[in-house]
Amino acid sequence: MKSRSDNMNVKRRLIMSRKGQNSMENNLTYTRNRDYLIPNLELSQQPRQSLGKYGRMRQKYLQENRQGLYNRLLLSEKLYPHLLEIDQAAERRLEQMMPELAKAAGATEELKARDQMKWVGLMNTCKAQAEEMILHELIMN
């Protein structure tokens, strides 16, 4: 005979019905942990690719400011693909914007050869501008 603290799988059939509505059936398996039945929930397999800077920024923004959307994406298993898509889009946008901003700021190869510190300062300014635009367009949208 097993004790109450033993974990065992228990198959239960849940039938929920409400007045005037059809009943809904779910077949779930549970693990008994002392007096509690804990449902055995599993996520489907998703390709694991590490998130970059912008994907992590989007995740933090959703957790702190858009909790409903974060939970909805998480529970529907669409969070990771969403974060990956945002990360890739932000990287593409940064690669597209940097040459345009550098050209507008006058950060040329000639300046790089002549005055490296000024060129580095201009490039840092351009990257900060591009990241600020990405932040508003993709991360906090």
Side-chain angles (χ1 to χ4, degrees):
M1 186 167 146
K2 295 186 179 184
S3 68
R4 291 176 63 172
S5 64
D6 286 339
N7 288 338
M8 58 184 355
N9 284 332
V10 177
K11 183 88 169 182
R12 286 184 78 154
R13 184 177 191 93
L14 297 176
I15 300 175
M16 297 168 25
S17 62
R18 295 183 181 152
K19 292 180 183 178
Q21 295 181 355
N22 295 333
S23 66
M24 182 173 71
E25 295 182 18
N26 290 319
N27 290 324
L28 297 174
T29 58
Y30 292 80
T31 301
R32 181 177 297 279
N33 190 348
R34 299 186 187 182
D35 290 338
Y36 300 101
L37 289 177
I38 300 169
N40 298 326
L41 303 175
E42 295 180 15
L43 296 174
S44 64
Q45 291 290 3
Q46 295 185 9
R48 264 334 251 183
Q49 188 177 351
S50 61
L51 289 175
K53 172 183 178 180
Y54 302 108
R56 291 189 310 270
M57 287 173 72
R58 175 69 174 173
Q59 183 178 20
K60 184 176 179 183
Y61 170 76
L62 290 175
Q63 283 176 325
E64 293 176 359
N65 301 296
R66 307 273 312 269
Q67 294 166 351
L69 177 58
Y70 177 81
N71 287 328
R72 189 172 46 234
L73 289 171
L74 182 64
L75 293 173
S76 66
E77 297 183 9
K78 294 179 182 175
L79 178 64
Y80 186 76
H82 171 75
L83 297 175
L84 195 57
E85 181 182 346
I86 292 292
D87 188 58
Q88 292 168 350
E91 289 292 339
R92 284 192 307 269
R93 186 82 171 110
L94 183 65
E95 288 175 11
Q96 176 190 4
M97 290 170 57
M98 280 300 291
E100 296 170 6
L101 291 172
K103 184 178 179 182
T108 62
E109 290 298 318
E110 178 185 315
L111 179 63
K112 182 179 179 181
R114 190 178 67 233
D115 189 357
Q116 288 183 350
M117 291 306 290
K118 185 174 182 178
W119 181 83
V120 168
L122 287 173
M123 291 303 288
N124 286 341
T125 301
C126 293
K127 186 167 183 179
Q129 289 174 347
E131 286 185 339
E132 188 68 26
M133 286 187 256
I134 289 169
L135 190 68
H136 290 287
E137 289 175 6
L138 296 172
I139 308 300
M140 297 189 310
N141 189 359

